[in-house]
Amino acid sequence: MKSLAGLPRYRKEKNDMKKRRVFVLLLIIMMVTTCVLYPQLPNKIPSHWNFDGMIDGYQDSWFLFIPILIYFMITVLFSFHSMITMLDSKKLMIL
């Protein structure tokens, strides 16, 4: 049975699983790297530079976890989106 995109349904689901694995692997690498390097960081780290290259903004070191949190939320949203799309396409196949 063909999917709406023209590919067999199992092949599309397999590709989605591979993409999810890559996203999760990148998330784990980011988290492990940040946790390993975190103790070596100072309490305040530079976060903004002006046009002359001088530091004019600082953040607490825990701020490095914010991009990981954002990446995690995006990964979860894409996973839910692909699951919902897959369920909708299966409903269309039945009808």
Side-chain angles (χ1 to χ4, degrees):
M1 194 174 277
K2 295 277 184 176
S3 70
L4 296 176
L7 293 174
R9 188 182 335 151
Y10 71 91
R11 200 172 198 188
K12 186 171 181 346
E13 291 172 6
K14 208 174 193 182
N15 287 338
D16 288 345
M17 285 299 292
K18 285 181 183 178
K19 288 177 187 176
R20 273 190 229 134
R21 286 182 186 152
V22 169
F23 282 127
V24 170
L25 181 65
L26 287 173
L27 181 66
I28 290 170
I29 289 171
M30 288 169 54
M31 189 66 166
V32 168
T33 304
T34 304
C35 288
V36 167
L37 296 176
Y38 185 78
Q40 301 171 10
L41 295 174
N43 289 338
K44 297 274 187 185
I45 54 174
S47 62
H48 192 267
W49 290 261
N50 61 17
F51 287 114
D52 297 327
M54 303 296 293
I55 300 169
D56 62 356
Y58 289 90
Q59 293 289 337
D60 292 328
S61 56
W62 63 265
F63 190 75
L64 291 175
F65 289 99
I66 300 294
I68 296 172
L69 180 64
I70 293 170
Y71 187 82
F72 173 76
M73 292 187 316
I74 290 171
T75 302
V76 168
L77 283 173
F78 279 128
S79 294
F80 280 134
H81 178 264
S82 65
M83 282 189 260
I84 290 170
T85 305
M86 188 172 58
L87 289 174
D88 286 344
S89 67
K90 284 183 180 179
K91 286 180 186 175
L92 289 173
M93 292 295 179
I94 293 172
L95 298 175

